[in-house]
Amino acid sequence: HAFEEARREPLSLVSGNRDPWADIDVMYTGCRVYDSGKHPFGALCISIFREDKQPFDNPCNVGLLYTVGALGRNKKAEGEGEVTQERERLVKADPREFVHEIYRTGWNIAAGVSEYNSQHVQSQLPRLDMIRIPLVAGGTFINPKVSPTEVGLALLWGLDQGLMVHDVSVRPHVELMPDKDLKAAHMLYCEGMKPSHRRGLSEKGVTDLFQYLDHGVGMRWVTPAEDR
């Protein structure tokens, strides 16, 4: 399993092509994690479709990115079953810790896609030139002390910094999915704003993590009219 292999090599994109189902609909699977924990919070999974399996027969739909946001409360999505008390220990109850995990998730996504492009420059696999990002962990699982806009802002800064450490030749462009909270976060990001107590965190305001960030790359907001 790609995730289990990635846990043995944190901070590196690991190919999971040995997965027994990999030859069904996809020609590549990979996973990147930022620590060796057994729970997949913040992990990035990449699946590249076979050409005859691309959604709507659109060659732009080359693959799927999947990530798991941090737990800010002990809930499950509809259809996932009952919530157990033992799951409570996985919850990031401290709003600063929750926001930090969202930042790390964004960083991991950007780094993983850039590494994929770098690893497969000479291969037959398609580049990921454009990735579309929704608001991650801003709904059912959000920490109740954090606003969805705050989540989006942390995610955007993570994406920004994860892209910045890679050469421009392998960075994907980023499109943000239409969402009012993500749009508000993008406006704050463009103004250079960092997560603070005035926009959702109730304790000590801006953490050390966000004090020293500066814009590395820009992200374009996609309106519904531009949506393909």
Side-chain angles (χ1 to χ4, degrees):
H1 190 282
F3 173 67
E4 293 301 327
E5 292 183 22
R7 287 180 58 203
R8 293 191 282 271
E9 296 183 54
L11 300 178
S12 296
L13 180 66
V14 177
S15 171
N17 275 338
R18 290 189 294 278
D19 284 352
W21 49 266
D23 61 349
I24 299 175
D25 292 331
V26 300
M27 54 184 175
Y28 171 87
T29 60
C31 186
R32 189 185 197 277
V33 299
Y34 51 72
D35 63 37
S36 59
K38 66 178 182 178
H39 297 284
F41 303 119
L44 169 70
C45 297
I46 300 177
S47 296
I48 302 298
F49 303 128
R50 294 184 178 278
E51 287 188 12
D52 62 340
K53 298 296 183 179
Q54 292 170 347
F56 305 107
D57 295 320
N58 187 332
C60 292
N61 296 329
V62 299
L64 174 72
L65 306 181
Y66 180 80
T67 192
V68 181
L71 276 181
R73 64 179 82 188
N74 193 10
K75 283 192 173 185
K76 287 189 175 183
E78 184 176 351
E80 284 190 323
E82 294 184 6
V83 176
T84 61
Q85 282 302 116
E86 63 184 39
R87 197 164 179 262
E88 184 69 36
R89 62 188 177 83
L90 303 176
V91 172
K92 303 297 182 184
D94 185 328
R96 292 166 297 180
E97 186 178 4
F98 176 77
V99 168
H100 187 187
E101 289 299 308
I102 300 302
Y103 167 85
R104 295 177 78 192
T105 299
W107 200 102
N108 196 52
I109 292 170
V113 173
S114 299
E115 287 173 16
Y116 166 85
N117 284 338
S118 178
Q119 291 174 8
H120 299 287
V121 169
Q122 303 296 330
S123 79
Q124 298 298 312
L125 291 170
R127 274 177 56 94
L128 295 178
D129 289 320
M130 182 75 70
I131 60 174
R132 289 185 152 193
I133 302 295
L135 185 64
V136 176
T140 300
F141 308 109
I142 192 172
N143 184 300
K145 297 179 181 179
V146 179
S147 72
T149 298
E150 197 82 26
V151 173
L153 191 56
L155 181 68
L156 296 189
W157 276 108
L159 289 165
D160 180 292
Q161 300 296 292
L163 291 172
M164 190 173 67
V165 298
H166 290 83
D167 188 83
V168 67
S169 66
V170 298
R171 296 176 193 164
H173 295 291
V174 179
E175 291 185 343
L176 305 179
M177 294 297 288
D179 175 276
K180 64 180 180 63
D181 295 305
L182 195 53
K183 185 174 184 178
H186 185 250
M187 291 175 64
L188 294 172
Y189 160 83
C190 289
E191 294 170 4
M193 295 291 187
K194 318 296 196 315
S196 78
H197 67 286
R198 293 188 299 278
R199 292 183 303 280
L201 298 187
S202 60
E203 309 223 359
K204 295 183 179 179
V206 180
T207 65
D208 289 344
L209 168 70
F210 293 103
Q211 284 182 6
Y212 305 107
L213 296 185
D214 196 10
H215 285 109
V217 297
M219 284 170 283
R220 184 167 66 91
W221 167 256
V222 179
T223 66
E226 295 175 283
D227 202 12
R228 295 186 295 274

